[in-house]
Amino acid sequence: MGDVKAVFMGHDHKNDFCGNLDGIWFCYGGGFGYHAYGKAGWPRRARIILAELQKGQSSWMGVEKIRTWKRLDDEKFSRIDEQILWDSRLSR
């Protein structure tokens, strides 16, 4: 139907990438738990997803933009790999 812009998945411990297939973004959440396997020297991370909504006169409207990035579990909670997955202003 063309209305799916992104799908987010977890539980593939060391994968944290995003890829586009036929116009739909597929993004892994990354490994953030300490009770599962990981990779030496690889900070744990969590994917953040932000769906920005259009504001109507009296209510929220549709999605305007979808952004994602990862936060590392390091001293600064570093923000890495920011991506704009979809922006309604660019897709018209």
Side-chain angles (χ1 to χ4, degrees):
M1 293 179 58
D3 59 344
V4 175
K5 306 303 180 199
V7 176
F8 301 93
M9 302 146 298
H11 205 78
D12 197 1
H13 302 268
K14 294 185 281 184
N15 287 326
D16 67 347
F17 64 92
C18 287
N20 192 300
L21 179 64
D22 297 327
I24 300 173
W25 283 96
F26 293 85
C27 298
Y28 280 100
F32 59 89
Y34 283 92
H35 299 291
Y37 62 90
K39 193 160 64 173
W42 189 73
R44 299 301 176 148
R45 61 204 59 212
R47 179 170 298 283
I48 309 300
I49 304 154
L50 177 63
E52 297 177 24
L53 302 177
Q54 298 169 345
K55 188 173 182 181
Q57 191 169 356
S58 61
S59 65
W60 293 105
M61 306 299 282
V63 175
E64 184 172 272
K65 186 188 295 186
I66 302 170
R67 296 188 300 143
T68 185
W69 61 89
K70 290 169 274 185
R71 284 281 184 194
L72 300 183
D73 186 14
D74 61 9
E75 290 177 3
K76 297 180 181 180
F77 294 111
S78 301
R79 180 175 173 156
I80 63 169
D81 300 335
E82 183 167 358
Q83 293 177 268
I84 296 174
L85 301 180
W86 185 74
D87 188 330
S88 65
R89 296 168 292 190
L90 301 176
S91 64
R92 293 179 186 177

